[in-house]
Amino acid sequence: MATPLSPRLVIVNSSLSSDSNTRMLSRHAHAHALQRGISADLIDLKDHRVLPYGEEGSEGLEQIEAQLEQAGAIILAFPLYNYNINSSLKALIEHCGACFEDKVVGLMTAAGGRSSYMSVFSVGQSLMLDFRSWIVPRYVYAVSDDFGAESIASPEVRRRVEQLVETIHRTAWQLQLEPPGG
């Protein structure tokens, strides 16, 4: 029996702002994955044009879809606005939802304050119910105070991002070795 390849990790940054805290989370996750020898890609939705489902003019969806299809694990990084995910991530899920089917998914979010930490679960529930994604219960919730001008200032948030990367990769590896029902 051949040894399976290490699962590929895809990190999706759904913030469209050039200097966003979400982008800092994504870049730290990507750098940590590469440092640990984990095969990882970073998709930045700012580099693509992902419009709401049903609207014409999206660009780069085929490339994103191909990367998500090849992933064994996916980390979604998003800003929380008014206790919900941003429209870019919603549009991505609407277009590429099938790519999340039976994939291990982790969540990272940057929010303005501490009150909306439970809002993360709405996207997790949707992915679990609609696409049978495996949601890693270790998620990253960071607030404005956790960031400096160009990097994550909080050692605790950096550590949690690193733990998420390692946990999601390990979980995807285990599911690949012992698929459900197998």
Side-chain angles (χ1 to χ4, degrees):
M1 181 173 158
T3 304
L5 297 174
S6 176
R8 182 163 207 78
L9 172 61
V10 173
I11 302 156
V12 178
N13 172 37
S14 70
S15 176
L16 301 182
S17 174
S18 297
D19 60 348
S20 75
N21 294 338
T22 306
R23 181 164 279 103
M24 287 186 233
L25 291 172
S26 301
R27 287 182 177 166
H28 186 69
H30 186 242
H32 183 72
L34 296 178
Q35 175 191 6
R36 298 287 295 187
I38 297 169
S39 179
D41 294 322
L42 176 59
I43 297 173
D44 196 330
L45 293 187
K46 186 177 183 307
D47 299 335
H48 304 276
R49 182 176 166 89
V50 182
L51 298 176
Y53 190 80
E55 289 196 24
E56 300 294 322
S58 289
E59 298 171 5
L61 282 174
E62 298 81 16
Q63 177 189 1
I64 294 170
E65 199 167 33
Q67 286 180 283
L68 292 174
E69 280 293 330
Q70 295 299 313
I74 301 167
I75 294 177
L76 298 175
F78 54 95
L80 274 179
Y81 297 129
N82 297 317
Y83 297 91
N84 210 340
I85 65 175
N86 66 343
S87 60
S88 299
L89 181 57
K90 184 172 180 358
L92 177 73
I93 293 170
E94 289 172 343
H95 284 285
C96 301
C99 296
F100 293 93
E101 195 164 323
D102 292 323
K103 300 273 173 79
V104 179
V105 178
L107 306 171
M108 294 191 302
T109 189
R114 300 202 181 280
S115 299
S116 56
Y117 66 95
M118 295 291 287
S119 302
V120 172
F121 295 115
S122 65
V123 70
Q125 286 175 318
S126 174
L127 291 169
M128 281 185 345
L129 296 173
D130 295 338
F131 305 109
R132 303 296 185 238
S133 299
W134 294 81
I135 306 301
V136 173
R138 178 183 302 277
Y139 70 98
V140 176
Y141 182 89
V143 297
S144 308
D145 294 343
D146 294 323
F147 298 91
E150 296 181 18
S151 65
I152 302 170
S154 166
E156 175 66 16
V157 171
R158 281 194 310 272
R159 183 182 65 77
R160 292 194 59 179
V161 169
E162 294 163 6
Q163 284 179 326
L164 176 61
V165 167
E166 293 170 20
T167 299
I168 195 168
H169 186 257
R170 183 176 56 252
T171 304
W173 186 270
Q174 289 169 335
L175 283 173
Q176 184 174 296
L177 292 175
E178 297 180 35

